Amino acid sequence: MGISNPSTSVCGDYSTLASIASRASVLEGKTFQDILDMGIYPPDGATRDYDNRNYKGGMGTLVEERFFGYKANSEHDADFPEAGVELKVTCFDEKKNGDYSAGERLVVSMIPYDQPVQLEFDDAVVARKCKRMMLVYYQRDKAIDPYQQQIHYAKLFEIPENDLKIIRDDYRTIASLVQEGKADQLSESLTMYLGACTKGSTAAGSWVAQYYAPGGPKAKKRAFCLKRQYMDYVLHHYLMNESEDVDCIIKGDALAAQTFEEYVLSLIKPHIGKTDRELCEEFGLKYKGDKGQWSALAYAMLGVRGEKAQEFEKANISVRTVRLETSAGIRENLSLNTFKFLDLVEEEWEDSALFEYLEQTRFFFVVFRKEGGCSRLEEAKFWSMPSIDLDGPVHECWQRTKDVIQEGVRFNVKKRKDGSIRVENNLPGSKDNPVAHVRPHANKAAYRFADGTESGDVQKNAYPLPDGRMMTKQSFWLNNTYVYSALLHYNANGLDES
């Protein structure tokens, strides 16, 4: 994108922040149809079907061409180069509870695989594209004509310096892997705010050769993006002006000489070796000795009240506490989100909820070890699932689950001595896959069988299957053996160190 004449377009002078902000303010309250009705055209006078899914750019291109009056293109400079402002049109959704959330990540620029890549963020194209942006947020509503969707916010946004420090580190992480010829190991979960998201319309077409690894493994096309959770924070706290109700981990200039993750680990390190009883006493908590309390202790060690931290929320970091057995191993599997059977069978792998969660989520493991009547803090580490595991065993588990549901889940009903029943099924179990499996995610079992009979509270604890039966709510789980291996052998980027 970008204006061919950097100072003016058919609609005016956009060389200053004030002129851009003044013009953009007209957008608030307008639908996309209202914009079309203004009768503004780009220099070539072309008209397009901006809602065509095969047309690159969509509503963002509509705003560029039919409101600001310039021809959309793929220039490396910001859209308004004299002012250093990039135009970005994105959406937000209304959730069932009435709250709003950013609808998608904000794609900034492609990660180049066919040419050298800059190692420093401030020298890169992506910096010119995201440091200062004119953000146009519209409310997405799939139930109406896309052109009737309404724009609610059009405001200048400049990334705060504290966030820029983290983004610079994120960029270096991504660029370093590319320069090492390891772009095939990238994932969106490796970084905090600036991610490396997948791009490519087809599975075959999304794999390309690496400039830094000629003859080596191909890598998925990816783009630099500001993560959805980061854009959600921007929506609520910069555009909607909501007050901040979550504590920050970063205090002062804590990141002047270290990365965010180094700083977080430095806060945990002084407490390693202490028992949960000792930690409770130190932080004034009543001792319970359960998983919930370990999570509270993790945040307390980070200097955060409650169990939310601003940086973790913005970066989509999931805090998970793990307890090792006295000798070795982990007893519990690691639960992921519950899924609905009818939704899963309509998904494709790279658009699936499971893929998106593991591709985008970074984990912060706080590890205790069972010791007598308490648990002792052993370590903490950041971790992301390696792409080889996500696209390999996890994909296989997801595909097998989809196939079983589509073919019809087989129930094997067994009666217990007390007259109750136990129902086994043929969804993939922990012995079927080295990484993931499926198991119930409800406190009580519930089924509706083919003959219409029911067991348990199906309305509360079950979801419908495609054939009309109902089954206890299920979720994907990471195998305890896999999580234990990850804690022992994998570094923060999911690379094997053993």
Side-chain angles (χ1 to χ4, degrees):
M1 302 177 188
I3 299 177
S4 54
N5 181 331
S7 300
T8 61
S9 79
V10 296
C11 298
D13 181 357
Y14 300 135
S15 61
T16 67
L17 297 180
S19 63
I20 297 167
S22 176
R23 175 61 179 165
S25 66
V26 177
L27 286 167
E28 294 187 352
K30 292 192 181 299
T31 66
F32 291 108
Q33 186 60 53
D34 291 336
I35 296 173
L36 295 178
D37 291 343
M38 294 172 74
I40 298 169
Y41 297 91
D44 65 359
T47 60
R48 313 176 196 277
D49 180 4
Y50 296 99
D51 184 41
N52 188 328
R53 293 184 64 182
N54 295 321
Y55 180 70
K56 182 180 179 181
M59 297 305 172
T61 302
L62 184 153
V63 173
E64 290 178 296
E65 297 188 343
R66 302 299 297 274
F67 181 76
F68 286 101
Y70 66 86
K71 176 73 173 174
N73 57 67
S74 300
E75 298 293 335
H76 286 175
D77 266 326
D79 290 325
F80 307 106
E82 287 194 358
V85 174
E86 176 78 359
L87 174 67
K88 288 295 182 184
V89 179
T90 187
C91 63
F92 68 91
D93 298 321
E94 183 175 1
K95 298 190 288 188
K96 290 181 180 179
N97 63 3
D99 291 341
Y100 298 107
S101 66
E104 56 195 15
R105 61 173 73 86
L106 190 70
V107 175
V108 181
S109 65
M110 293 299 296
I111 299 174
Y113 288 162
D114 59 347
Q115 58 184 288
V117 61
Q118 298 289 338
L119 188 58
E120 298 303 326
F121 172 76
D122 293 295
D123 298 330
V125 171
V126 64
R128 298 195 291 274
K129 293 283 192 176
C130 75
K131 276 188 175 181
R132 184 184 293 142
M133 297 178 287
M134 169 54 66
L135 290 179
V136 177
Y137 264 93
Y138 67 93
Q139 184 169 359
R140 181 167 58 183
D141 187 344
K142 297 179 180 178
I144 64 175
D145 185 315
Y147 292 109
Q148 297 304 319
Q149 296 174 123
Q150 188 178 54
I151 294 168
H152 287 247
Y153 306 100
K155 294 184 180 179
L156 284 168
F157 171 68
E158 190 162 357
I159 296 177
E161 186 54 43
N162 272 351
D163 291 357
L164 265 181
K165 172 63 172 68
I166 291 175
I167 286 171
R168 287 188 180 100
D169 291 336
D170 289 341
Y171 177 86
R172 178 176 279 271
T173 296
I174 296 167
S176 295
L177 279 173
V178 173
Q179 286 192 352
E180 293 166 11
K182 298 177 180 177
D184 55 304
Q185 297 178 16
L186 286 173
S187 77
E188 196 171 334
S189 64
L190 288 178
T191 49
M192 293 274 292
Y193 302 159
L194 183 73
C197 65
T198 54
K199 293 285 287 182
S201 56
T202 65
S206 66
W207 293 86
V208 294
Q210 298 188 59
Y211 173 86
Y212 289 99
K218 289 187 175 182
K220 285 183 182 178
K221 289 181 183 177
R222 290 182 180 269
F224 291 109
C225 70
L226 292 174
K227 294 187 178 184
R228 192 201 66 77
Q229 290 76 12
Y230 184 80
M231 295 309 299
D232 194 57
Y233 187 87
V234 170
L235 170 69
H236 284 278
H237 298 285
Y238 290 94
L239 276 71
M240 299 175 71
N241 295 316
E242 293 181 7
S243 59
E244 182 57 71
D245 58 355
V246 178
D247 281 353
C248 292
I249 297 174
I250 301 169
K251 305 295 192 295
D253 61 350
L255 302 187
Q258 58 190 331
T259 68
F260 173 77
E261 294 188 1
E262 289 170 343
Y263 176 62
V264 168
L265 294 176
S266 75
L267 297 177
I268 299 292
K269 187 176 180 180
H271 301 288
I272 290 176
K274 298 177 182 178
T275 67
D276 52 359
R277 287 182 182 275
E278 292 169 338
L279 290 169
C280 283
E281 184 176 350
E282 180 176 342
F283 293 109
L285 300 176
K286 183 179 179 181
Y287 178 73
K288 298 178 182 178
D290 59 17
K291 203 175 185 71
Q293 185 164 75
W294 299 332
S295 181
L297 288 172
Y299 283 98
M301 287 184 280
L302 298 177
V304 173
R305 296 168 297 175
E307 295 188 31
K308 285 187 176 182
Q310 183 190 119
E311 295 87 354
F312 283 0
E313 295 291 299
K314 289 157 69 174
N316 194 26
I317 292 174
S318 176
V319 177
R320 299 298 184 104
T321 56
V322 176
R323 187 170 77 164
L324 306 178
E325 294 303 300
T326 304
S327 55
I330 301 172
R331 178 174 297 179
E332 295 181 339
N333 301 290
L334 191 138
S335 64
L336 305 178
N337 294 333
T338 304
F339 61 84
K340 293 183 178 181
F341 308 116
L342 298 183
D343 290 344
L344 189 143
V345 295
E346 295 297 323
E347 295 176 336
E348 296 299 329
W349 169 236
E350 292 200 359
D351 296 320
S352 70
L354 179 63
F355 176 86
E356 289 188 356
Y357 180 78
L358 292 174
E359 161 75 14
Q360 298 173 21
T361 303
R362 191 158 181 78
F363 293 91
F364 180 54
F365 285 120
V366 181
V367 184
F368 291 83
R369 185 179 292 277
K370 184 178 179 181
E371 185 177 290
C374 59
S375 299
R376 191 175 297 278
L377 180 64
E378 186 154 301
E379 71 165 321
K381 70 184 299 184
F382 287 92
W383 179 82
S384 298
M385 176 170 282
S387 56
I388 192 172
D389 292 343
L390 180 58
D391 289 322
V394 178
H395 184 189
E396 292 168 7
C397 179
W398 175 87
Q399 187 63 57
R400 177 59 184 158
T401 302
K402 179 178 179 178
D403 292 343
V404 168
I405 294 170
Q406 287 179 320
E407 294 164 3
V409 181
R410 294 199 302 269
F411 291 163
N412 182 15
V413 182
K414 296 184 177 181
K415 284 192 175 183
R416 298 188 178 97
K417 292 181 179 179
D418 63 2
S420 63
I421 64 170
R422 176 170 172 262
V423 182
E424 297 177 347
N425 62 64
N426 62 327
L427 291 170
S430 58
K431 294 181 180 180
D432 300 322
N433 189 287
V435 175
H437 66 280
V438 176
R439 57 191 290 239
H441 203 136
N443 292 329
K444 295 184 178 180
Y447 295 89
R448 176 184 294 154
F449 300 104
D451 62 2
T453 60
E454 296 182 355
S455 173
D457 188 343
V458 295
Q459 298 304 317
K460 181 179 180 181
N461 297 316
Y463 283 138
L465 291 162
D467 58 13
R469 295 177 299 165
M470 296 188 73
M471 181 181 181
T472 307
K473 294 177 181 179
Q474 306 281 318
S475 68
F476 290 101
W477 298 67
L478 297 183
N479 299 350
N480 54 3
T481 52
Y482 175 74
V483 175
Y484 183 62
S485 175
L487 293 175
L488 288 180
H489 303 303
Y490 286 81
N491 65 16
N493 293 339
L495 303 180
D496 195 340
E497 294 180 315
S498 58

